[in-house]
Amino acid sequence: MENFIGGDDMQIMVIILISCLCLQLAGLGSKLQTPLVPAFRLNSTFLACRVATPCEHCSVSTSEAMGYCKLPCSVLFLCLFISSCLPNLSLAGEVQGNLTAKLFIDASERSGHPIPQTLFGIFFEEINHAGAGGLWAELVSNRGFEAGGSNIPSNIDPWSIIGNESSIIVSTDRSSCFERNKVALRMEVLCNSEGSNTCPSGGVGIYNPGFWGMNIEQGKSYKVVFYVRSTEAIDVSVSFTSSNGLQTLASTNIIVSASDVSNWTKMEVLLVAKETNHNSRLQLTTSKKGVIWFDQVSAMPLDTYKGHGFRNELFQMLADIKPQFVRFPGGCFVEGEWLRNAFRWEASVGPWEERPGHFGDVWKYWTDDGLGYFEFLQLAEDLDAVPIWVFNNGISHNDQVDTSGVLPFVQEALDGIEFARGDSSSKWGALRAAMGHPEPFDLRYVAIGNEDCGKKNYRGNYLKFYDAIKRAYPDIKIISNCDGSSRPLNHPADLYDFHVYTSANNLFSMSNQFDHTSRQGPKAFVSEYAVTGKDAGTGSLLAALAEAGFLIGLEKNSDVVQMASYAPLFVNSNDRRWNPDAIVFNSFQVYGTPSYWVQQFFRESSGATFLNATLQKDSSTSVVASAITWKNSEDGQTFIRIKAVNFGSNSVNLQISVGGLGPNSVKLSGSAKTILTSAKLMDENSFKEPKKVAPIQTLLEEADKEMSVLLLPHSFTSFDLLKESAGLRITEDDLPLKSSI
């Protein structure tokens, strides 16, 4: 073994190793039965490569020790030349594994600019059953039997019949007492509790499975309301059962004389569940012969948010990101494929029984409009957010009202503003007051249409709306559909819409999108943004990181960007019309996608101060960063929050330097680090693993004005530096060592 290279020749040994690998890759070792394995033996004439079988390119017999393969010196020199790149390649590898960047922050009082109070909010569209079967807690689908259309007989789906043709006949007619929704269900019971045609055990009737199963939970109360009429006395059982009807979760009987139901009569019962079933149904059954009419059947849990009809856990998901505005109700839902199916606010207010509902022909499902214009305004108020109403401007995807005939649509918009803001003595203000809200809602923003810029009649129609609204309500801010970020608009506006759905790389690169936008004229409203396509899956870490970088850019340019919201907000996992979405739910479960969690990082940004900061990095470093100061409204403490997205596959050592602060101005206790990352770029959350990709918060060790932090590959990290103040007393227990937000 004395001829083998020793420790002093380690560099040569490594060169030989790489040389042999180069030869193998180049094909010189391809004739061998096994790959070349270096034995690190060297003399003046050959490079020794240890093999298990003879080499046909060398004059070496199989008997030669260790099976060495001798190569000519010319080949050796070639190998050495190729491997001479090794030191540089190794060095480059070290640099790639230890990228560095520097962030200089000016935290002085003169630094930066105020961020609008409205910068980050939410956009709610009735898509993916976000409202019907989602945020709106109504359990019954097609409660008024109107989904099948006004012509009778009609389809009553998803209602189904309990019993067969010998015992029951179910149809629809137009006998309802409600003028705007005349269809009612007629149930003729042919069997009886006794006699030759006896009803089956449990009776016959109808049932409704809700939206892919009703979530009925033990101990909770549910209010069931329906309207009924009959020519005879009735004995009707109202029940929640399992999906097959075999398990009864709650039940009560309604026994009423014929005189009490000879006209349409409202019935209301309270059911308390004795068991839990997440896939339940509502049944109306009887064993009494006769004809019964039903209409407007509703079932709602009593424990909705403030009794306002919002499903608690979904509402809380919204509240947790502290939205400063709510844009509603769309989106394409506002336009419709055809105007006849567009959302019309007047048809969505007043008593719920009187709302006709409509078929949303863009997203292809029926809504009873229980979540109507009033409820959207209430939602914004409950979230302490500003409502932004998007209304139809006489344009759908396929038809348009000529500008000469758009005035009725203009009046409809003015009436809608009066409903929200008018005095309770006004026509529409009085209706709002009758619905339980005598005080006006804080409606300050309206959008004229959605994605209609460039359509033939948009500009003409827009100007009619703009002029009329400004005359009646000069303080209202009006949003145009046309993008004004790269060129001036050809019409007046207070804000303009900017929508972007693109790949992860594209969106991340758009962190500078508004750097060169004119600071004069209307402000930008980025009302719809998201990573879509293969990068997004159904909500990936990759998509979230790109969106985080984009939002840092919006935050930086918040002197010209006034508002921003992700889209879409909700998806019922049983009806994915669009991918991805921020919040995923079914009848009883909910989780946030990584894109949802990104928004948690920005929930303190609205109304904060953006600090001037300079990021120094080389072109190979995919990092964007920003800094703000914000105040905790609960305890009055002030923080500097530094956010950084590492979009690359290598760790980055970030040197942070905060200037403009006095000595000992950063408090160690109370400072925190929060990181969003995962093992794989395409990792997603699920009902099984709802927080597989979720922020983790830890104590920020060695928090200071000058500090070095490590940004993990493919991560989004924030650092909250607690600013010291007089009389501040914080213990180590004020912040958990590890928690998920």
Side-chain angles (χ1 to χ4, degrees):
M1 301 294 292
E2 67 275 10
N3 291 326
F4 278 70
I5 297 173
D8 293 338
D9 297 307
M10 184 60 66
Q11 184 175 6
I12 298 176
M13 180 181 73
V14 175
I15 292 174
I16 294 170
L17 170 63
I18 298 301
S19 299
C20 289
L21 293 176
C22 289
L23 290 172
Q24 180 68 38
L25 293 174
L28 292 178
S30 63
K31 301 294 184 178
L32 297 174
Q33 297 302 309
T34 60
L36 293 168
V37 180
F40 306 126
R41 183 176 177 181
L42 190 68
N43 61 29
S44 60
T45 60
F46 69 92
L47 168 69
C49 296
R50 182 176 178 177
V51 296
T53 58
C55 174
E56 66 185 75
H57 293 285
C58 308
S59 57
V60 180
S61 69
T62 57
S63 62
E64 185 165 347
M66 304 299 290
Y68 290 114
C69 169
K70 297 180 180 180
L71 297 178
C73 287
S74 59
V75 176
L76 170 62
F77 293 149
L78 174 62
C79 293
L80 292 176
F81 172 76
I82 295 172
S83 63
S84 67
C85 300
L86 175 63
N88 292 331
L89 290 174
S90 299
L91 180 60
E94 289 182 12
V95 172
Q96 289 298 314
N98 296 276
L99 298 175
T100 60
K102 296 180 179 180
L103 182 65
F104 300 95
I105 301 166
D106 182 358
S108 62
E109 293 185 3
R110 68 181 184 277
S111 171
H113 63 263
I115 298 173
Q117 187 64 49
T118 56
L119 183 57
F120 294 116
I122 57 175
F123 163 46
F124 186 102
E125 178 167 15
E126 183 57 88
I127 179 178
N128 305 318
H129 276 87
L135 180 63
W136 188 243
E138 174 63 65
L139 296 175
V140 177
S141 177
N142 188 20
R143 65 186 179 189
F145 308 102
E146 302 289 334
S150 58
N151 294 325
I152 56 164
S154 57
N155 188 356
I156 62 171
D157 185 69
W159 290 92
S160 294
I161 300 171
I162 302 170
N164 57 37
E165 294 177 355
S166 66
S167 58
I168 184 173
I169 298 174
V170 173
S171 62
T172 54
D173 62 23
R174 294 183 57 80
S175 64
S176 174
C177 61
F178 301 109
E179 289 301 320
R180 293 200 294 180
N181 43 11
K182 296 298 295 182
V183 176
L185 182 134
R186 182 182 186 274
M187 187 172 82
E188 183 177 0
V189 179
L190 306 176
C191 59
N192 213 335
S193 58
E194 56 186 22
S196 59
N197 189 11
T198 305
C199 292
S201 175
V204 297
I206 54 175
Y207 73 85
N208 188 290
F211 301 89
W212 301 281
M214 299 179 180
N215 181 37
I216 303 301
E217 298 182 349
Q218 184 178 9
K220 288 193 175 182
S221 299
Y222 302 84
K223 183 170 72 172
V224 179
V225 178
F226 61 91
Y227 287 76
V228 63
R229 179 172 70 90
S230 181
T231 56
E232 303 173 57
I234 64 170
D235 182 353
V236 174
S237 175
V238 182
S239 309
F240 286 121
T241 74
S242 58
S243 61
N244 59 10
L246 298 180
Q247 177 194 28
T248 300
L249 308 171
S251 183
T252 191
N253 273 40
I254 296 178
I255 302 174
V256 182
S257 66
S259 60
D260 289 334
V261 290
S262 59
N263 295 311
W264 282 105
T265 304
K266 184 177 183 178
M267 297 292 177
E268 185 173 315
V269 298
L270 194 66
L271 297 180
V272 180
K274 59 184 181 182
E275 295 183 63
T276 293
N277 190 308
H278 303 307
N279 187 25
S280 307
R281 71 191 199 186
L282 175 69
Q283 293 187 172
L284 301 175
T285 57
T286 185
S287 295
K288 184 177 178 57
K289 186 176 182 179
V291 179
I292 306 175
W293 285 264
F294 292 108
D295 198 13
Q296 297 302 324
V297 184
S298 170
M300 291 275 279
L302 284 188
D303 65 340
T304 62
Y305 184 78
K306 289 187 176 181
H308 291 162
F310 307 120
R311 184 171 151 183
N312 270 314
E313 67 271 34
L314 299 190
F315 180 90
Q316 192 59 50
M317 292 290 285
L318 303 183
D320 285 348
I321 57 176
K322 299 181 180 179
Q324 297 303 304
F325 65 82
V326 179
R327 178 182 184 242
F328 69 89
C332 297
F333 183 71
V334 169
E335 300 167 276
E337 288 293 336
W338 299 92
L339 282 172
R340 62 177 175 269
N341 293 319
F343 177 82
R344 310 301 283 269
W345 80 266
E346 289 182 23
S348 74
V349 296
W352 61 267
E353 304 96 325
E354 298 178 8
R355 302 181 190 184
H358 80 287
F359 177 70
D361 61 355
V362 175
W363 306 121
K364 308 301 182 187
Y365 61 89
W366 175 267
T367 60
D368 290 311
D369 289 333
L371 182 59
Y373 182 47
F374 176 90
E375 288 75 22
F376 282 117
L377 292 167
Q378 185 66 67
L379 174 64
E381 184 174 275
D382 287 347
L383 289 168
D384 196 23
V386 175
I388 301 177
W389 179 34
V390 184
F391 54 74
N392 189 287
N393 65 108
I395 298 176
S396 76
H397 288 180
N398 291 300
D399 58 342
Q400 304 182 38
V401 173
D402 190 81
T403 300
S404 63
V406 81
L407 289 183
F409 286 79
V410 173
Q411 187 59 52
E412 184 178 327
L414 292 171
D415 291 344
I417 297 173
E418 182 182 286
F419 177 90
R421 293 181 33 152
D423 186 88
S424 58
S425 62
S426 65
K427 174 184 175 181
W428 293 107
L431 176 57
R432 182 198 67 240
M435 294 180 69
H437 202 286
E439 296 301 317
F441 287 107
D442 187 23
L443 181 64
R444 293 182 250 160
Y445 298 87
V446 298
I448 302 175
N450 173 74
E451 295 180 350
D452 292 327
C453 186
K455 294 181 180 178
K456 182 181 66 171
N457 295 332
Y458 181 69
R459 185 175 182 276
N461 290 5
Y462 173 92
L463 291 173
K464 293 288 187 182
F465 282 92
Y466 183 91
D467 291 343
I469 293 170
K470 284 296 186 181
R471 280 196 304 269
Y473 303 96
D475 63 306
I476 282 187
K477 304 298 184 184
I478 296 178
I479 304 164
S480 167
N481 289 179
C482 299
D483 175 16
S485 63
S486 57
R487 60 183 180 183
L489 301 179
N490 63 359
H491 52 271
D494 298 296
L495 298 99
Y496 57 84
D497 251 337
F498 184 92
H499 295 182
V500 56
Y501 298 97
T502 187
S503 68
N505 283 337
N506 283 348
L507 194 64
F508 184 77
S509 69
M510 291 176 67
S511 61
N512 298 319
Q513 175 69 29
F514 292 91
D515 284 6
H516 304 293
T517 295
S518 172
R519 268 47 191 170
Q520 306 299 316
K523 304 295 185 182
F525 180 14
V526 183
S527 59
E528 299 182 31
Y529 74 86
V531 170
T532 54
K534 65 180 182 180
D535 289 347
T538 57
S540 69
L541 171 65
L542 174 60
L545 295 178
E547 290 155 5
F550 179 64
L551 292 184
I552 284 178
L554 299 188
E555 193 177 64
K556 174 182 64 176
N557 286 291
S558 56
D559 59 327
V560 69
V561 178
Q562 181 121 10
M563 302 176 179
S565 50
Y566 179 91
L569 183 61
F570 281 118
V571 59
N572 188 313
S573 61
N574 296 285
D575 187 40
R576 287 184 180 271
R577 305 278 166 161
W578 185 283
N579 281 319
D581 309 270
I583 301 169
V584 184
F585 65 90
N586 57 24
S587 72
F588 69 103
Q589 297 170 296
V590 60
Y591 67 85
T593 63
S595 295
Y596 169 83
W597 291 111
V598 160
Q599 295 175 61
Q600 293 250 8
F601 285 76
F602 293 87
R603 61 185 178 182
E604 312 297 349
S605 293
S606 299
T609 298
F610 184 84
L611 299 177
N612 289 328
T614 302
L615 180 66
Q616 292 183 354
K617 59 174 185 173
D618 60 41
S619 59
S620 64
T621 306
S622 298
V623 172
V624 294
S626 69
I628 65 170
T629 57
W630 65 277
K631 180 175 286 188
N632 189 323
S633 59
E634 295 180 0
D635 56 22
Q637 294 179 353
T638 300
F639 293 83
I640 296 174
R641 174 169 292 179
I642 301 163
K643 296 188 291 292
V645 179
N646 181 3
F647 200 60
S649 57
N650 298 98
S651 297
V652 175
N653 290 317
L654 179 64
Q655 305 292 325
I656 297 175
S657 178
V658 184
L661 296 178
N664 302 317
S665 53
V666 175
K667 186 74 174 177
L668 176 59
S669 297
S671 294
K673 177 176 75 171
T674 306
I675 184 169
L676 179 72
T677 190
S678 192
K680 298 178 181 178
L681 260 180
M682 295 307 294
D683 277 352
E684 300 184 0
N685 293 330
S686 63
F687 292 126
K688 185 178 180 180
E689 295 181 278
K691 290 190 176 181
K692 181 177 183 178
V693 188
I696 300 296
Q697 187 180 83
T698 58
L699 183 69
L700 178 58
E701 300 176 358
E702 300 180 2
D704 204 346
K705 296 183 294 181
E706 305 284 336
M707 59 182 185
S708 177
V709 298
L710 182 68
L711 304 181
L712 296 179
H714 303 132
S715 66
F716 182 25
T717 311
S718 73
F719 307 92
D720 279 305
L721 306 181
L722 176 59
K723 294 179 68 175
E724 182 67 277
S725 60
L728 188 62
R729 296 291 183 269
I730 299 178
T731 68
E732 293 290 337
D733 295 331
D734 288 338
L735 186 74
L737 289 181
K738 185 174 182 179
S739 66
S740 178
I741 65 171

